[in-house]
Amino acid sequence: MALMRREQAELRSLNTFGVAARARELITLTDVTDADVALEQLARAPAQLILGGGSNILFSSDFEGTVLRVALSGRRVIGPLDSDDGILVEAAAGELWHDFVQWTLSQGLFGLENLSLIPGSVGASPVQNIGAYGVEIRDRLHSIDAIEVRSGRRRTFQADECGLDYRESIFRRGLQSAWLLTAIRFRLARVPQLRLDYADLREELARKGTLTHPQALHVAQAVCAIRQRKLPDPAKLGNAGSFFRNPIVEPPQADALASRFPGIPLRPESAGSARCKLPAAWLIEQCGWKGKRRGDAGVAAQHALVLVNHGLATGRELLTLAGDIQDSVEQRFGIRLQPEVVIV
Ligand code: EPU
């Protein structure tokens, strides 16, 4: 199909915050053979943005440039890997993440079950190294096909070349919109190796009576149930999931916080690490923001880390609210929260 182009395009339905914003031009890429033409047009624009599912973005104003929306579709099982007993699976960048996860499970391929019900597209998944309930994309990623926006050069990135870290990758750090990701490959398994380290997940499985003999499908169902209970559905209440990253603190600061704020939920960053991770949701709730509303911009009643659009909030209003939350957490705890959502 030919490239779709629109001028003065409304982006409200293309971001899960449901914020109104206009792009000077919107190009929708549905066929990878049109990528070169699309990138030539993008190169001529005064400002450029590559958009996936729009589930991790806040438009603070209109976009005075060209937005390239990636709507490439297709998924396939490639087959067994030579290097180990993994099975290689590929999806085009525009596939919906949750649909893809469900499809892998229906193929008897395991490894993504903990990442069920995350909004957004497959192409966005490595950009911010999505993670939930003890699994991150970096645990499952095999490789990425990409096209350099500036030159049109094709390149395959192996997983270890992507700089994946907590909600980070080279595609976010400085290279935002430098590469158009077209296809993502994952290393999955025929025999599930379930990850049940997350306490919430074990509790949910116990409640459903499946903790003693869990299967991957039970894990997927439990993750969906937790998410439905804890996180607002973007189809009903605009939001972009966690708005801030969970801060990591060095040991001296962790000790100081623990003695000043007894009961503060500090956890090791990873097994054996001296650095600690602190739930941003807890910090925000302690400052009294949970469930607060200012006009149509607010903090979700069920989870303090999620900013919500009750209807007609503007990106500016949400951004102002986020700034006030950052200020009050910093005043009380001496920690400046960093947004996880990309602000444009
Ligand atoms: N908490 C509060 N108040 C709240 C909610 C949570 O105090 O309103 C505290 C509790 O102590 C709770 C802790 O925060 O134990 C952690 O909460 P939760 O398990 O909901 O996880 P999170 O740290 O807030 C992270 C990810 C989520 C992911 C969950 C589950 C980040 C920024 N967020 O949230 O990812 O689903 O863990 O693994 O790391 C996303 O990135 O958009 C996202 C939703």
Side-chain angles (χ1 to χ4, degrees), residues 31-341:
D31 186 335
V32 76
T33 60
D34 293 327
D36 290 324
V37 179
L39 291 182
E40 275 163 30
Q41 289 180 17
L42 198 64
R44 285 198 290 269
Q48 296 133 358
L49 176 72
I50 296 178
L51 185 65
S55 62
N56 199 46
I57 196 163
L58 177 61
F59 288 105
S60 60
S61 59
D62 288 339
F63 190 71
E64 299 301 338
T66 296
V67 173
L68 175 62
R69 189 166 83 87
V70 183
L72 301 170
S73 60
R75 55 200 181 193
R76 64 189 176 121
V77 178
I78 297 176
L81 283 158
D82 291 336
S83 48
D84 54 42
D85 53 5
I87 310 285
L88 198 57
V89 174
E90 181 182 85
E95 288 283 324
L96 285 178
W97 174 260
H98 178 62
D99 291 355
F100 171 63
V101 172
Q102 283 190 309
W103 173 79
T104 60
L105 293 170
S106 74
Q107 302 294 306
L109 291 169
F110 307 112
L112 299 178
E113 51 279 354
N114 295 48
L115 302 175
S116 296
L117 213 60
I118 296 182
S121 65
V122 169
S125 66
V127 175
Q128 52 150 344
N129 183 26
I130 59 170
Y133 307 103
V135 175
E136 288 181 340
I137 283 296
R138 69 172 144 189
D139 305 323
R140 307 286 181 253
L141 184 68
H142 178 272
S143 52
I144 298 175
D145 287 345
I147 308 176
E148 192 174 27
V149 169
R150 190 170 42 85
S151 66
R153 177 167 66 100
R154 265 66 174 166
R155 174 163 172 196
T156 296
F157 289 88
Q158 300 304 317
D160 61 2
E161 296 176 299
C162 298
L164 299 179
D165 205 341
Y166 172 55
R167 296 297 190 272
E168 271 295 355
S169 73
I170 54 164
F171 306 109
R172 245 192 108 150
R173 271 192 303 263
L175 286 184
Q176 191 86 45
S177 291
W179 291 89
L180 168 66
L181 310 191
T182 55
I184 321 292
R185 284 178 289 277
F186 300 91
R187 180 196 307 272
L188 301 183
R190 287 259 175 240
V191 180
Q193 288 185 317
L194 301 182
R195 294 287 298 271
L196 307 176
D197 350 331
Y198 216 85
D200 273 6
L201 185 52
R202 290 196 305 276
E203 280 162 28
E204 183 66 28
L205 289 166
R207 199 172 307 145
K208 294 217 165 83
T210 51
L211 184 59
T212 49
H213 52 283
Q215 297 185 0
L217 281 180
H218 297 139
V219 174
Q221 283 161 0
V223 166
C224 289
I226 301 168
R227 292 189 76 97
Q228 278 161 345
R229 198 164 56 233
K230 281 201 166 180
L231 300 168
D233 177 357
K236 296 184 187 134
L237 184 62
N239 75 86
S242 303
F243 193 89
F244 299 103
R245 291 187 170 96
N246 286 327
I248 312 284
V249 290
E250 298 295 333
Q253 193 183 9
D255 293 344
L257 285 165
S259 58
R260 248 190 93 196
F261 303 101
I264 190 166
L266 287 157
R267 307 266 177 274
E269 183 193 12
S270 53
S273 165
R275 301 206 303 171
C276 288
K277 204 177 228 184
L278 194 50
W282 187 86
L283 300 172
I284 296 169
E285 183 168 347
Q286 293 297 307
C287 293
W289 288 102
K290 191 168 176 173
K292 280 272 155 62
R293 184 170 171 170
R294 243 193 229 159
D296 274 352
V299 178
Q302 63 270 55
H303 203 298
L305 194 49
V306 182
L307 299 197
V308 292
N309 174 7
H310 287 281
L312 294 175
T314 63
R316 235 333 108 206
E317 287 165 343
L318 284 158
L319 205 53
T320 303
L321 177 64
D324 290 348
I325 292 171
Q326 282 173 309
D327 289 347
S328 73
V329 167
E330 189 170 12
Q331 254 172 28
R332 175 127 182 234
F333 295 100
I335 293 171
R336 185 82 184 162
L337 295 178
Q338 295 305 318
E340 199 228 281
V341 165

